[in-house]
Amino acid sequence: MTSLKGKWALVTGASSGIGMAAAQRLAAAGANILAVARRQERLEELQRQLTAQYDVTVDIHVLDVRDRTAVETFFASWFAGGHHLDILLNNAGLAMGKAPVQEGDWQDWDEMIDTNVKGLLYVSRSVLPHMVSRNSGHVVNIGSIAGHWVYPGGNVYNASKFAVRALGEGMNMDLLGTNIRVSNVDPGACETEFSLVRFHGDQEAADAVYKGFEPLRPEDVADAICYVLQAPPHVNVANLVLMATAQRGATLFAKEKPQTS
Ligand SMILES: NC(=O)c1ccc[n+]([C@@H]2O[C@H](COP(=O)([O-])OP(=O)(O)OC[C@H]3O[C@@H](n4cnc5c(N)ncnc54)[C@H](OP(=O)(O)O)[C@@H]3O)[C@@H](O)[C@H]2O)c1
C-alpha cells in the first residue's frame, strides 16, 4: 500500500461535493492539501475544518481553471517557492443544461468544454513537468460514466467526459517509462451540487434526479480515489467505474415509484 502521509495533494474543485470529500479523506490519511476553486469562503471554511481536525498543512487558492494565465501564473509561483505536488486530483467540472443539441445554449457548451476539458489540461500541463522532473506523482482525473455512455440531452457533457477518458489514456501513454501513474475515476449519479448547477439553480429539478433511489455519496467517490492512490507503486488503476447499486447504466435506475394515496 502507498502511504499518503506527508504527501502534497492538489484538489481542484475542493469547495463542494466530490472534491471537498476527497480533500477530507486525503487529509484524514495524513496528506497536505492544496485546495483550489472559485469560492473563497468555502475554501477558507474547508481550511479551518481540516487544520482543526488533522495534523496537516492546508493551503487554499482561488482559481478558475478556465483562466489559463491565472493557472500558469499560480503554479509557476507555487513551484518557484520550493513546493512540490505528489498528487493531482483533476476534479473541477460541471454539467450545464440538458437541452438537445439543436436547442443547446452556447454559453453552457463553452463553460463545460472550458472547465472539463481545457481547465483539466491547463492544470495538468502546469503540474506534470514538475512530476516528471521528480519522476514521481499520481494524477487522478474525475471523469464520469457519461464518458462511457451517451444519454439524451447529455451531448456536450458526454463529449467533455469522453475527452477526459481519452486524456487519461493519453497521459498514461505519454508518461510510459516514468513512475507517474494516471487513474481515471468515473462515478455514476452522486448527490452533490452537480444537478443544482446543471439546472441553473432549480432545486426541484435537482432533487428529482436523486429521488427514489440511494445515489452515491461524495464520500463513496472519495473512498475510491483513496483506493487508487493507495495502491502499491507497481499497480496503476487506469480506470475505476463506480455506480450506485440502484444504477446500472447512464439512464438505467431502479427507482421506487412515488406513493399514491
Ligand atoms: N455528481 C455526479 O453525479 C457526478 C457524476 C460523475 C462525475 N461527476 C464529476 O465530478 C466532479 C465534481 O463534481 P461534483 O459532483 O462534486 O459537483 P459540485 O458539488 O458542483 O462540485 C463541483 C466543483 O467544481 C468546482 N468548479 C467548477 N467550475 C470550476 C472552475 N471553472 N474553476 C475551478 N473550480 C471549478 C466547483 O467550485 P467553485 O464553484 O467554487 O469554483 C466545485 O468545487 C465533476 O468533474 C463532475 O463532472 C459528478
Side-chain angles (χ1 to χ4, degrees):
M1 204 164 118
T2 301
S3 169
L4 302 179
K5 200 166 169 50
K7 296 225 161 130
W8 268 99
L10 164 63
V11 180
T12 71
S15 62
S16 172
I18 293 167
M20 184 182 272
Q24 281 159 341
R25 285 288 201 266
L26 289 167
N32 301 308
I33 307 293
L34 171 57
V36 306
R38 293 167 300 178
R39 285 171 291 180
Q40 183 166 2
E41 281 166 28
R42 294 277 194 103
L43 293 176
E44 285 170 353
E45 176 52 34
L46 180 70
Q47 185 182 41
R48 263 193 298 277
Q49 189 212 326
L50 294 184
T51 46
Q53 231 176 325
Y54 307 110
D55 185 22
V56 296
T57 304
V58 179
D59 280 357
I60 55 171
H61 187 74
V62 173
L63 188 67
D64 186 333
V65 297
R66 295 171 300 177
D67 184 340
R68 196 177 90 192
T69 307
V71 169
E72 275 183 312
T73 308
F74 171 65
F75 287 108
S77 79
W78 169 265
F79 291 118
H83 295 97
H84 72 274
L85 289 170
D86 303 290
I87 294 162
L88 161 57
L89 176 57
N90 274 320
N91 163 77
L94 40 68
M96 296 294 284
K98 219 178 164 187
V101 174
Q102 64 274 22
E103 293 164 20
D105 184 295
W106 303 63
Q107 210 176 318
D108 284 352
W109 292 356
D110 284 347
E111 200 164 338
M112 287 187 274
I113 291 167
D114 289 350
T115 310
N116 301 357
V117 184
K118 290 164 73 181
L120 180 146
L121 278 170
Y122 296 159
V123 174
S124 303
R125 180 66 182 85
S126 302
V127 170
L128 274 174
H130 299 272
M131 289 186 169
V132 171
S133 70
R134 301 175 73 234
N135 194 22
S136 172
H138 199 150
V139 179
V140 179
N141 300 311
I142 302 301
S144 171
I145 63 159
H148 295 257
W149 299 290
V150 177
Y151 54 87
N155 46 64
V156 175
Y157 181 65
N158 285 121
S160 75
K161 290 297 183 178
F162 269 72
V164 172
R165 190 162 144 222
L167 289 170
E169 286 183 25
M171 285 182 196
N172 261 321
M173 289 177 187
D174 294 345
L175 292 162
L176 177 69
T178 73
N179 291 330
I180 301 156
R181 296 179 283 175
V182 182
S183 304
N184 276 31
V185 172
D186 296 341
C190 176
E191 192 163 9
T192 62
E193 292 174 13
F194 178 83
S195 293
L196 192 62
V197 171
R198 170 170 238 167
F199 296 118
H200 302 278
D202 182 341
Q203 188 70 59
E204 211 176 314
D207 289 346
V209 173
Y210 309 108
K211 214 171 259 168
F213 76 108
E214 188 175 352
L216 293 175
R217 306 279 160 215
E219 293 74 21
D220 301 323
V221 184
D223 286 341
I225 293 165
C226 285
Y227 166 75
V228 307
L229 288 170
Q230 289 175 324
H234 70 285
V235 177
N236 184 20
V237 181
N239 197 188
L240 190 155
V241 180
L242 70 157
M243 278 179 273
T245 303
Q247 181 177 17
R248 300 295 164 101
T251 54
L252 270 181
F253 292 90
K255 287 199 176 190
E256 284 165 21
K257 302 252 179 319
Q259 301 284 342
T260 46
S261 50

